Amino acid sequence: MGVNEWVEKFRQGDPRALARALTEIENRGPDAQPLLRALFPYSGKAWRIGVTGAPGAGKSTLVDRLAGLLREQGRSVAIIAVDPTSPFSGGSILGDRVRMHAHHADPGVFIRSMATRGVLGGLAPATADVMMALDAAGRDVILIETVGVGQAEIDIVKLASAVALVLTPSMGDDVQTIKAGIMEIADVFVINKSDQSGADRIETQLRALLSLTHQAGQETPIVRTVATEGEGVADLLAALESRPAAPGREVDVWKERLLELLRRRALEQVIDEALPVEELAEAARGVADGRVNPYEFVDDVMKKAGVDE
Amino acid sequence: MGVNEWVEKFRQGDPRALARALTEIENRGPDAQPLLRALFPYSGKAWRIGVTGAPGAGKSTLVDRLAGLLREQGRSVAIIAVDPTSPFSGGSILGDRVRMHAHHADPGVFIRSMATRGVLGGLAPATADVMMALDAAGRDVILIETVGVGQAEIDIVKLASAVALVLTPSMGDDVQTIKAGIMEIADVFVINKSDQSGADRIETQLRALLSLTHQAGQETPIVRTVATEGEGVADLLAALESRPAAPGREVDVWKERLLELLRRRALEQVIDEALPVEELAEAARGVADGRVNPYEFVDDVMKKAGVDE
């Protein structure tokens, strides 16, 4: 199947073409670049919602509820669940199965899990490409769920049009430890599990923090939810939709993404030209032994690839 | 000052030469690559300890106590504090000042904070280069402190010879949420603040988790500490020192690092050849507007740089 035919099927909503294309893109297969080029002109229409927060905050349940609500409104949905590492306990795997089951019979909800292991060129770029492809496939809304700590994760949520940061009453004083990188990109704060004690306290602390950084009357909205019961989810969706556009953020994100795309392409080129896999493994052993100077090795490979004079 | 003279002063322990070199390396200045090449042969002697864990677990205090103990043994120390984002509260800044004060009069403790913002080519590679340079500067022990969630942070601790994962009794059931990527690279588990209630409970849970993944008798050791009092810190140091060597891990780390070094060099080359800063900003605006296809743009830049036929 040629790329054009593939793109055609993809755009018609063929689920097999979609799944195959996403796998090709994630794996950086030989058709990834032509596919991305061909799909991009169809993208830019989807509304991208980021949902981030600590493990156990109830992000998955919240995302499921949002998806349910969006479906009731007749909008098609894609969920991208990004897990920075494989789960140690069976918790997340079980969660995924429950989730798959909840939307099992509904082709209007497409779910894709992204693992970090083995993603060539980094998780954030791969997620960005998958997001663009789902956008081009005509999904009305893309929900991206990720753990809210760590640079790669911050880079991922930045790709969203609107970002919800999920907290819980059990965080207690830990609200002080929320990092600036995440605070700055949150468009809505969610206090999930707000039927638990401590919800008032965390909201007070959060308002105090926000008053330090925002002008009066321009504070980021705070929404209380009980995701397991569906409570407050409609309010959350409304708060996300009322977010003012921030075109400057999009330009900044694209500056970083263009560099990232170039970095990846440049590396692929160098590897194709001058670095067979066996040589890389041998060099790594040499460096670990102290026989090979890695900085000299890199100079040599670049010279061999003909990209460094 | 030429690179050779610089390296000479650096190796003699000149603090200004050291600070300047680290800044040059962090900023990827024009002398960074020659410096790294020249310094590498002197590296490989330092013992690298990674200390990781959630915000508020007491990592900084623990690292300070370890540094104090190592100084008592007559070993020189460098501390690399990696903060994935700038702190929202004043907590970390205050912490840094307290820390600076504690070791203020001791040239045997060198402290370097790494910020993520503006680190070209990623935080983990920059940290790895700084670590190598401090190693080449003759520091006996390098302590690397980082928040233990997120892929970049995991990549950083992987660079250590031995890794301590710091937990606290207040984590409670959250021990279930510790991610596999971190579990796998922890050589010692620390229950800090172990004078608080819940220490027994978290140790029991941890042992249950470990028994699932380790052969009987080969479980990762668990050490209890009260870092603020210095309790258990000597036990922690002993546990880290008794860790068996894992040369396979080092080879894997170097495979990834060599690719990362190549990726960075290849990008720098492409940018030098074919992408002025203004053009990048203009392209980013164009993509955000939908005028520019980013995948075509990348193809064009690669062609212009002459690295893609």
Side-chain angles (χ1 to χ4, degrees):
Chain A
M1 180 165 59
V3 166
N4 287 346
E5 194 192 336
W6 199 346
V7 168
E8 203 43 53
K9 283 204 176 169
F10 185 105
R11 301 238 319 126
Q12 284 160 9
D14 181 312
R16 280 189 55 208
L18 183 60
R20 268 191 60 196
L22 295 183
T23 302
E24 182 75 4
I25 288 167
E26 252 193 279
N27 296 346
R28 303 286 310 147
D31 287 328
Q33 178 71 8
L35 264 175
L36 289 167
R37 269 182 84 134
L39 290 173
F40 181 80
Y42 302 107
S43 72
K45 293 174 195 76
W47 183 35
R48 307 180 303 280
I49 302 176
V51 177
T52 187
K59 293 183 297 297
S60 304
T61 314
L62 210 51
V63 164
D64 269 359
R65 291 287 181 170
L66 285 169
L69 205 57
L70 291 160
R71 291 299 298 137
E72 284 173 26
Q73 299 175 351
R75 299 201 257 184
S76 63
V77 173
I79 298 173
I80 306 178
V82 181
D83 198 346
T85 51
S86 55
F88 181 75
S89 68
S92 294
I93 294 162
L94 185 63
D96 264 7
R97 286 198 190 139
V98 170
R99 158 180 291 176
M100 294 298 186
H101 190 71
H103 300 290
H104 182 240
D106 182 3
V109 178
F110 182 92
I111 300 167
R112 185 85 184 182
S113 288
M114 306 272 303
T116 48
R117 299 309 175 84
V119 175
L120 186 66
L123 183 61
T127 307
D129 288 339
V130 164
M131 200 183 310
M132 190 282 287
L134 286 166
D135 185 343
R139 292 282 147 173
D140 296 320
V141 184
I142 301 173
L143 292 157
I144 312 117
E145 172 195 332
T146 181
V147 169
V149 191
Q151 194 57 46
E153 292 67 34
I154 292 175
D155 288 346
I156 289 166
V157 247
K158 268 192 200 158
L159 303 164
S161 333
V163 174
L165 174 59
V166 186
L167 310 172
T168 60
S170 69
M171 282 187 73
D173 292 332
D174 290 349
V175 76
Q176 300 280 348
T177 65
I178 300 171
K179 294 288 178 175
I182 282 286
M183 289 293 282
E184 287 156 9
I185 57 171
D187 298 294
V188 180
F189 289 96
V190 181
I191 302 175
N192 191 31
K193 305 186 186 181
S194 65
D195 52 344
Q196 294 179 358
S197 69
D200 287 334
R201 189 156 157 257
I202 201 163
E203 182 164 344
T204 307
Q205 292 189 351
L206 197 51
R207 288 203 188 282
L209 273 181
L210 291 174
S211 68
L212 294 173
T213 50
H214 291 68
Q215 289 191 294
Q218 303 203 349
E219 287 91 354
T220 311
I222 301 173
V223 175
R224 292 194 186 197
T225 58
V226 184
T228 49
E229 309 295 321
E231 274 174 37
V233 179
D235 295 338
L236 170 57
L237 195 59
L240 287 164
E241 283 188 296
S242 68
R243 172 193 176 270
R249 184 162 87 187
E250 198 145 358
V251 174
D252 285 344
V253 166
W254 273 109
K255 264 192 227 172
E256 284 176 39
R257 279 218 61 209
L258 289 175
L259 284 176
E260 189 53 54
L261 287 169
L262 279 168
R263 189 178 292 131
R264 192 169 67 188
R265 282 294 300 283
L267 177 68
E268 284 169 359
Q269 195 64 25
V270 166
I271 289 176
D272 284 354
E273 298 274 337
L275 187 62
V277 170
E278 322 80 68
E279 243 178 70
L280 175 66
E282 179 50 36
R285 275 190 296 273
V287 177
D289 291 353
R291 284 181 289 116
V292 174
N293 182 329
Y295 304 96
E296 281 177 15
F297 173 78
V298 167
D299 283 344
D300 292 346
V301 172
M302 292 294 290
K303 277 201 192 94
K304 203 171 147 198
V307 290
D308 200 12
E309 332 308 317
Chain B
M1 181 163 61
V3 166
N4 287 346
E5 194 193 334
W6 200 345
V7 168
E8 204 43 55
K9 285 204 175 170
F10 185 104
R11 301 240 319 125
Q12 284 160 8
D14 181 311
R16 278 189 55 208
L18 183 60
R20 267 192 60 197
L22 295 184
T23 301
E24 182 75 4
I25 288 167
E26 251 192 279
N27 295 346
R28 303 285 312 144
D31 288 327
Q33 178 70 8
L35 266 174
L36 290 166
R37 270 183 84 135
L39 290 173
F40 181 79
Y42 302 107
S43 72
K45 294 175 196 77
W47 183 35
R48 305 181 304 280
I49 304 177
V51 177
T52 188
K59 294 181 298 295
S60 303
T61 314
L62 209 52
V63 163
D64 270 0
R65 291 287 182 172
L66 286 168
L69 204 58
L70 291 160
R71 292 299 298 138
E72 283 174 27
Q73 299 175 352
R75 299 202 255 182
S76 63
V77 173
I79 298 174
I80 305 177
V82 181
D83 198 345
T85 51
S86 54
F88 182 74
S89 69
S92 294
I93 294 162
L94 186 64
D96 264 8
R97 285 196 190 142
V98 171
R99 157 180 291 175
M100 293 298 186
H101 190 73
H103 300 290
H104 182 240
D106 182 3
V109 179
F110 182 92
I111 300 168
R112 184 86 183 181
S113 288
M114 306 272 305
T116 47
R117 298 310 175 84
V119 175
L120 188 66
L123 184 61
T127 306
D129 288 339
V130 164
M131 200 182 309
M132 189 283 286
L134 286 166
D135 185 343
R139 293 283 146 172
D140 296 320
V141 183
I142 300 173
L143 292 157
I144 311 118
E145 172 195 333
T146 182
V147 169
V149 191
Q151 194 57 46
E153 293 65 36
I154 292 174
D155 288 345
I156 289 166
V157 254
K158 268 193 201 157
L159 302 164
S161 333
V163 174
L165 175 58
V166 187
L167 310 172
T168 60
S170 70
M171 281 187 73
D173 292 332
D174 290 349
V175 75
Q176 301 280 349
T177 65
I178 301 171
K179 294 289 178 172
I182 283 285
M183 289 294 280
E184 286 156 9
I185 57 171
D187 298 294
V188 179
F189 288 96
V190 181
I191 302 176
N192 191 31
K193 306 186 185 181
S194 66
D195 53 344
Q196 294 179 358
S197 69
D200 287 335
R201 187 153 160 259
I202 200 163
E203 181 163 345
T204 307
Q205 291 190 350
L206 197 52
R207 288 203 188 282
L209 272 182
L210 292 173
S211 68
L212 294 173
T213 49
H214 291 67
Q215 289 191 295
Q218 303 203 347
E219 287 91 354
T220 310
I222 301 173
V223 175
R224 291 194 187 197
T225 59
V226 184
T228 49
E229 309 295 322
E231 274 173 38
V233 179
D235 295 339
L236 170 57
L237 195 59
L240 287 164
E241 283 189 296
S242 68
R243 173 193 176 269
R249 184 162 84 184
E250 198 143 359
V251 174
D252 285 343
V253 167
W254 273 110
K255 261 191 231 175
E256 283 176 39
R257 279 219 62 209
L258 289 175
L259 284 177
E260 189 52 53
L261 287 169
L262 279 169
R263 190 178 292 135
R264 192 169 66 187
R265 282 295 300 283
L267 177 68
E268 284 169 0
Q269 195 63 27
V270 167
I271 288 176
D272 284 354
E273 297 274 338
L275 188 62
V277 169
E278 322 80 69
E279 243 179 70
L280 175 66
E282 179 50 37
R285 274 190 295 273
V287 177
D289 292 351
R291 284 181 289 118
V292 174
N293 181 330
Y295 303 96
E296 280 176 15
F297 174 79
V298 167
D299 283 344
D300 292 346
V301 172
M302 293 295 290
K303 277 201 191 96
K304 202 171 148 199
V307 291
D308 199 14
E309 334 307 316

